[in-house]
Amino acid sequence: MKFRVDEISSVIQEEIQQYQSGVDVAEVGRVIAVGDGIARVYGLSNCAAAELVEFSNGELGQVLNLEENSVGVAILGDYLGIREGDEVKRTGRQISVPVGEAMIGRVVDPMGRPLDGQGVIETPHLRPLEIIAPGIAGRQPVTEPLQTGIKAVDSMIPIGRGQRELIIGDRKTGKTAIALDTIINQKGGDVICVYVAIGQKESTVATVVETLRAHGAMDYTIVVTASSSTPAPLQYIAPYAGCAMAEYFMYEHGLPTLCVYDDLSKQAAAYRQMSLLLRRPPGREAYPGDVFYLHSRLLERSCKLAERRFIVKKGAPESTNEGVDGKSYLGVPGVHESEAAAKKIGADAHEVRVDQASGGSLTALPIIETLEGEVSAYIPTNVISITDGQIYLEPNLFFAGVRPAVNVGISVSRVGGNAQRKAMKKIAGSLRLDLAAFRELEAFAQLGTDLDTATQKQLDRGYRMVELLKQPQFQPYNINDQILSIFAGTQGLLDSIPRDKVLDFEKAMLKHMNNEHPEIVEELDKTGKLSDELAEKIKTLITNFKQTYSAKG
Amino acid sequence: MHPVDDIGIAIADVYAKAVYKLASDAGTTAPTLEELSGLIAYVNSTPEFESFLVSVTVDSDRRRATIEKAMRGKASDLLVNLVQTLNAKSRLCLLEQVYVQYRLANEVAQNQAEITVATAVPLSADQRGPLLEALRKYTGQEPILTERVDDSLIGGLVVYIDDQKIDFSVSRALGGYRESFLRRASQEIHGKKQYVQ
């Protein structure tokens, strides 16, 4: 091996010749106290709230408190190298993170620095960490489904693109598993996923990354991690960083995105630590007064963006993104306005086109960990009130083998119903209420009283539905398979199948339907609806299959 | 004396402005500043006296009598009265900050600016003159220069005016080279450029 000294030398020479050594004028302050990730800095009298500052050892900080003679700075990195008297320089900018296609498949810290040992991330794009969420005019209603691949969720608690659905439950109840299943289920689709790990063990994050990689999900996923060993300020900014990375695809490319914040209770704890060290007054559970805004401003950034329409001449190139009348028409009202305008200009020669970079969405799956099922604690109630529904996971169900351990009684999706496939909506409409009624009946039946036939039948149906909704981890179901399974259950076609054989039967039935009757799946895909004729046909096919299945024993 | 927080600074400022007004009316702003400076230097060099002034275990009446005996007639009445007022209000711990705020008020009134200049080697008289002139022109104020030698600068100088830092040092220029080399190297490594045969 021989170094090309001449070339290295010429590079250095070139750099020296090109280097512009002007005068560096900066506004500086001095550290007067530092500890636990927070520095108090004297000076910096003109700096703005949330401005980025640079310490003399190269670490960055965010200005959080502006006081009369000093500022409180959250140190975004290793604070042990910062000493009293060190110089702190204003940068004049807010925190921005690198975003773009180059981030996909990478594991980064909240500042966008790579942590996966796969080299530097070269991206020309940056986005500010904090932006004001789009207003009413910039949004449109949530109408498209975001399939999680989990039968219990897609049937009873459907999630729409642009929705914020909270996953809440005690430790070890399968919260992360639901989020990961949802990410894995996006394989082959156009959804870009961001998984933000906050305050978790490095080993857990490594397992998550490996799981995603093993299922091919890293091809469309970015992992942002601020583990429990990371200073509190980085844990505090991690969800905003992940959100900014997802927003790039939503705003610039009009793509649907999914952001998982795992979990926001740890982010709130990190923010509490910072606030107490900054001597902000503690409120309930020692959280600062603005802890609600901490989460509301983050989750409000999830949305389904309005589509932008414009009128072009028929046959105009695909790259055209300006209207002939110089106008653009936004959202649902824009549909009618653009059509009327096109008619006015001349419907024969013009057409309405949708801007491909508009109409993106950001679906948020925030996770909250409760203590001993206490959903009425401060942070859980805050996030429940901000989100558009919650998936509540219960330890009792989890340990009884019902996995995912979704408590359907108190889980809800407030906007997802509009986004649910018509076919699924038709068959699973009353499933949630039926299951909740079954739970009550089940408790009553345990008393050992004699039951009438109707009640016993209802119980048998309930037991089978519970079995049917069980699903192993990392095995997402296609929506059509889900429709066929749930249909079989709700129509009582599984009533004669022994409880321990339900999942086995379901597997065989789906295989049979997909292989022998692909026209059913095709029609479901094509229309999205379950007509009475189709329902009758499916019923007959499943009944026939049941006879073969029973005969096989 | 102990460091003072923002509230302490604000309180000290009230006392300092009041004293400055009285000194200004009497035409003794400069001698009062000198007296205050001397008193603070003495307090800082005599820990026993500092303890006597700030300790909560010393009875305030006894302290008043001792201050009266030790200072009256030896310092101006204005200074002695200031110390007595601070004692009566249990604010003697702010004495040094009162001096700082007084000095700042005086600088504003005199159109002066405290400027610190850091150099790798001590400034010569030939260098100091033009530098002062340049600073006078730049700030529009009369500079009160504090010189500091910092050999890590290698050459050139760094000027501090309030929160502003103007860096002409050689070390900064070298840092700039380092950054530009690193940036280029990172790009070229990423672009798989080979510097070995």
Side-chain angles (χ1 to χ4, degrees):
Chain A
M1 189 168 72
K2 194 181 165 195
F3 283 97
R4 281 143 71 173
V5 180
D6 289 350
E7 195 169 342
I8 295 173
S9 162
S10 74
V11 165
I12 293 174
Q13 212 174 328
E14 192 186 316
E15 286 287 328
I16 291 172
Q17 273 168 350
Q18 284 174 0
Y19 185 73
Q20 302 278 321
S21 175
V23 179
D24 180 40
V25 181
E27 198 177 319
V28 295
R30 298 246 166 223
V31 175
I32 47 176
V34 63
D36 301 315
I38 300 293
R40 193 163 288 279
V41 178
Y42 178 80
L44 299 178
S45 46
N46 294 316
C47 87
E51 187 177 327
L52 198 64
V53 292
E54 190 183 343
F55 290 88
S56 52
N57 68 345
E59 291 293 353
L60 295 170
Q62 186 184 21
V63 175
L64 288 180
N65 269 13
L66 297 175
E67 285 159 30
E68 201 164 333
N69 291 289
S70 64
V71 294
V73 179
I75 304 162
L76 303 167
D78 180 19
Y79 58 85
L80 295 174
I82 295 168
R83 294 171 194 285
E84 187 186 336
D86 277 2
E87 210 170 85
V88 187
K89 199 160 84 175
R90 275 186 68 187
T91 62
R93 57 192 166 90
Q94 306 271 311
I95 306 181
S96 298
V97 287
V99 297
E101 288 77 5
M103 306 295 290
I104 294 175
R106 303 299 301 266
V107 182
V108 296
D109 79 350
M111 298 300 287
R113 295 173 288 215
L115 296 172
D116 51 7
Q118 290 178 19
V120 288
I121 298 173
E122 291 279 348
T123 174
H125 310 291
L126 281 173
R127 275 191 79 84
L129 198 74
E130 302 243 19
I131 60 157
I132 298 293
I136 297 164
R139 296 170 184 253
Q140 67 182 36
V142 174
T143 48
E144 282 175 68
L146 182 110
Q147 306 296 352
T148 63
I150 302 167
K151 285 178 279 182
V153 176
D154 287 343
S155 60
M156 292 180 286
I157 319 146
I159 300 171
R161 290 184 176 181
Q163 190 179 341
R164 301 155 301 172
E165 182 76 11
L166 170 66
I167 302 172
I168 185 168
D170 278 10
R171 53 184 280 277
K172 294 279 166 206
T173 49
K175 301 183 295 297
T176 305
I178 287 192
L180 291 185
D181 273 350
T182 309
I183 293 178
I184 290 168
N185 192 48
Q186 307 312 316
K187 195 174 177 181
D190 56 351
V191 181
I192 303 291
C193 303
V194 180
Y195 177 81
V196 187
I198 311 150
Q200 295 193 39
K201 288 178 289 197
E202 299 271 9
S203 59
T204 312
V205 182
T207 312
V208 166
V209 173
E210 265 327 296
T211 306
L212 292 174
R213 194 160 283 147
H215 290 85
M218 283 305 281
D219 297 345
Y220 52 86
T221 304
I222 304 168
V223 176
V224 180
T225 172
S227 69
S228 46
S229 63
T230 313
L234 283 173
Q235 293 188 38
Y236 153 65
I237 65 162
Y240 301 103
C243 187
M245 287 171 197
E247 277 172 341
Y248 166 78
F249 297 99
M250 172 174 73
Y251 285 109
E252 308 293 330
H253 297 282
L255 285 172
T257 58
L258 167 70
C259 215
V260 177
Y261 307 115
D262 192 0
D263 66 69
L264 289 187
S265 31
K266 292 206 180 65
Q267 190 221 6
Y271 188 58
R272 172 171 63 185
Q273 178 188 324
M274 283 167 54
S275 298
L276 292 174
L277 290 166
L278 283 162
R279 299 182 183 205
R280 291 179 177 179
R284 184 177 158 189
E285 292 178 26
Y287 287 105
D290 62 343
V291 76
F292 185 88
Y293 185 53
L294 172 81
H295 291 146
S296 66
R297 72 174 190 265
L298 168 74
L299 296 170
E300 200 56 22
R301 285 160 71 175
S302 309
C303 63
K304 169 75 182 162
L305 286 180
E307 281 176 340
R308 189 177 81 92
R309 288 176 165 75
F310 50 90
I311 301 162
V312 291
K313 277 193 176 151
K314 273 187 180 163
E318 281 298 309
S319 55
T320 313
N321 60 1
E322 278 292 319
V324 287
D325 55 352
K327 285 183 186 172
S328 58
Y329 303 88
L330 214 59
V332 180
V335 178
H336 310 295
E337 285 169 14
S338 59
E339 277 164 10
K343 264 184 197 168
K344 215 173 175 183
I345 296 171
D348 296 340
H350 295 87
E351 62 179 349
V352 177
R353 205 172 273 179
V354 178
D355 182 1
Q356 290 306 308
S358 68
S361 67
L362 198 164
T363 311
L365 290 182
I367 294 177
I368 289 282
E369 186 179 293
T370 52
L371 291 170
E372 300 296 324
E374 185 61 59
V375 282
S376 57
Y378 191 25
I379 301 302
T381 45
N382 277 358
V383 184
I384 286 171
S385 70
I386 296 164
T387 49
D388 307 311
Q390 69 275 348
I391 297 169
Y392 182 66
L393 302 172
E394 214 170 59
N396 292 344
L397 291 173
F398 187 85
F399 295 118
V402 181
R403 295 173 195 183
V406 180
N407 179 329
V408 292
I410 56 172
S411 297
V412 66
S413 172
R414 292 188 196 119
V415 294
N418 291 336
Q420 201 173 22
R421 276 256 197 127
K422 295 272 184 303
M424 182 62 102
K425 204 170 182 177
K426 188 174 176 183
I427 57 164
S430 62
L431 186 58
R432 210 162 67 86
L433 295 175
D434 289 347
L435 271 178
F438 159 72
R439 289 274 173 229
E440 273 182 33
L441 209 57
E442 188 192 22
F444 180 68
Q446 280 171 351
L447 296 174
T449 47
D450 286 336
L451 299 168
D452 60 81
T453 328
T455 314
Q456 189 58 52
K457 258 192 163 177
Q458 199 179 346
L459 270 174
D460 288 344
R461 173 82 54 88
Y463 285 128
R464 275 151 192 84
M465 284 312 298
V466 170
E467 280 303 313
L468 192 67
L469 292 174
K470 286 181 185 174
Q471 191 172 336
Q473 212 178 336
F474 312 135
Q475 288 180 26
Y477 273 53
N478 175 290
I479 184 65
N480 295 324
D481 288 354
Q482 289 186 37
I483 292 170
L484 292 173
S485 294
I486 307 272
F487 179 80
T490 51
Q491 294 296 310
L493 301 173
L494 305 179
D495 290 0
S496 56
I497 306 285
R499 267 161 68 180
D500 58 342
K501 294 275 183 201
V502 168
L503 283 178
D504 188 48
F505 172 80
E506 182 210 26
K507 206 173 161 187
M509 184 266 289
L510 290 177
K511 197 175 169 190
H512 171 78
M513 294 296 273
N514 280 305
N515 292 343
E516 307 298 324
H517 305 284
E519 74 282 357
I520 301 286
V521 175
E522 270 169 30
E523 193 170 341
L524 276 175
D525 252 340
K526 212 167 90 186
T527 60
K529 287 179 187 167
L530 187 71
S531 60
D532 290 344
E533 301 89 75
L534 186 63
E536 203 52 51
K537 201 172 166 188
I538 295 173
K539 205 171 174 178
T540 317
L541 289 171
I542 296 176
T543 314
N544 292 343
F545 172 74
K546 204 162 74 172
Q547 282 163 1
T548 349
Y549 181 82
S550 306
K552 276 183 193 165
Chain B
M1 285 191 173
H2 295 295
V4 180
D5 61 9
D6 282 354
I7 296 170
I9 294 171
I11 295 168
D13 194 50
V14 174
Y15 282 94
K17 284 199 173 126
V19 177
Y20 190 80
K21 173 82 172 59
L22 289 171
S24 176
D25 291 347
T28 58
T29 50
T32 307
L33 177 65
E34 212 170 295
E35 274 188 322
L36 259 172
S37 164
L39 177 63
I40 295 303
Y42 180 71
V43 170
N44 286 340
S45 62
T46 324
E48 299 82 11
F49 186 56
E50 186 191 344
S51 303
F52 164 74
L53 289 180
V54 299
S55 175
V56 286
T57 56
V58 180
D59 179 63
S60 118
D61 285 341
R62 281 197 63 187
R63 186 155 45 207
R64 183 181 55 76
T66 311
I67 290 169
E68 198 64 28
K69 203 171 158 188
M71 293 180 70
R72 187 69 71 188
K74 293 177 187 120
S76 69
D77 282 353
L78 182 60
L79 182 69
V80 180
N81 290 348
L82 168 68
V83 177
Q84 290 292 28
T85 311
L86 289 172
N87 177 46
K89 305 284 181 192
S90 305
R91 298 283 191 199
L92 268 172
C93 56
L94 295 177
L95 185 60
E96 187 169 355
Q97 195 60 42
V98 172
Y99 159 67
V100 172
Q101 298 304 117
Y102 183 95
R103 201 182 66 208
L104 293 175
N106 189 50
E107 283 169 10
V108 171
Q110 305 291 323
N111 194 30
Q112 293 170 330
E114 280 183 25
I115 296 173
T116 303
V117 174
T119 47
V121 289
L123 283 173
S124 67
D126 291 350
Q127 291 167 325
R128 193 174 296 114
L131 177 65
L132 277 171
E133 192 48 47
L135 290 171
R136 206 171 282 128
K137 212 169 157 187
Y138 181 73
T139 59
Q141 292 172 304
E142 187 56 34
I144 303 172
L145 208 61
T146 307
E147 292 175 29
R148 186 156 57 83
V149 175
D150 180 356
D151 53 12
S152 70
L153 297 178
I154 305 172
L157 54 86
V158 180
V159 181
Y160 294 92
I161 308 168
D162 279 336
D163 288 350
Q164 203 178 38
K165 178 189 177 188
I166 306 167
D167 196 340
F168 301 90
S169 69
V170 174
S171 67
R172 187 193 65 81
L174 289 175
Y177 282 124
R178 185 174 179 275
E179 260 179 43
S180 101
F181 287 144
L182 283 175
R183 208 178 307 119
R184 181 165 176 160
S186 148
Q187 281 167 358
E188 290 186 352
I189 289 167
H190 195 71
K192 308 255 188 293
K193 177 149 186 171
Q194 298 291 324
Y195 282 101
V196 285
Q197 284 173 331

